[in-house]
Amino acid sequence: MPDRAQFESLKLELLRGGVAPAYVERTILELSEHCQDLEDDALAAGLAKEEAARLARAQLGSEQSIAAAVLAQRELLVWRRRWPRTASCLRSAATIVALPGLPVVYCIDRGPEIARWSAALGSALILVSSLLACLNWMILLG
């Protein structure tokens, strides 16, 4: 069987193009098997191994043409490449939903510090409120 590594650049190009990884693996496997069949046919016709491998690759076509044919099939693309606006909206919505939860996540394991600061802020609020109330009563009664 031909080495699947010979299709590595095609694999990377398809992944960069947005083809789902499962389809990329299947495409590479099918190309590898088809290349092996073409090479076996050439060997059966009496060609040397190197010549048979070169002829098989030539019959498959260039990697650019194979990539263009695969990328033209939109059903093979990952969903965020098929529907980019929907993906963008969902990403924005997820960000908007997650942002208010970040302080909660930050505060989960910081209970004692939050309790101490809450007590300090609460007592300061009570002290300042009582001073303002006393000043207000002095002004009104005074």
Side-chain angles (χ1 to χ4, degrees):
M1 176 176 259
D3 187 17
R4 289 179 65 187
Q6 67 181 345
F7 297 110
E8 192 65 31
S9 63
L10 175 64
K11 179 181 178 179
L12 293 175
E13 186 175 345
L14 292 176
L15 288 172
R16 276 192 301 261
V19 178
Y23 290 120
V24 171
E25 288 299 322
R26 187 172 123 204
T27 300
I28 298 300
L29 178 65
E30 288 178 4
L31 281 172
S32 177
E33 289 174 356
H34 188 56
C35 186
Q36 178 64 46
D37 292 341
L38 291 172
E39 190 174 326
D40 290 343
D41 291 345
L43 287 172
L47 292 176
K49 180 136 179 85
E50 295 81 22
E51 183 65 24
R54 189 185 59 73
L55 181 64
R57 287 292 293 174
Q59 287 177 339
L60 277 180
S62 69
E63 288 188 1
Q64 290 81 14
S65 63
I66 295 170
V70 173
L71 291 172
Q73 298 179 20
R74 292 194 50 81
E75 65 272 5
L76 300 180
L77 300 178
V78 291
W79 71 271
R80 68 180 178 272
R81 288 288 182 115
R82 279 187 269 169
W83 301 292
R85 287 186 182 163
T86 304
S88 178
C89 290
L90 287 175
R91 185 175 48 240
S92 297
T95 302
I96 290 169
V97 167
L99 280 178
L102 288 178
V104 173
V105 171
Y106 176 77
C107 296
I108 284 178
D109 29 324
R110 291 174 175 77
E113 292 91 356
I114 292 172
R116 186 172 56 240
W117 279 97
S118 297
L121 287 173
S123 59
L125 180 66
I126 290 171
L127 177 66
V128 170
S129 298
S130 62
L131 286 174
L132 287 175
C134 288
L135 287 174
N136 192 24
W137 288 338
M138 289 171 64
I139 292 171
L140 288 175
L141 298 175

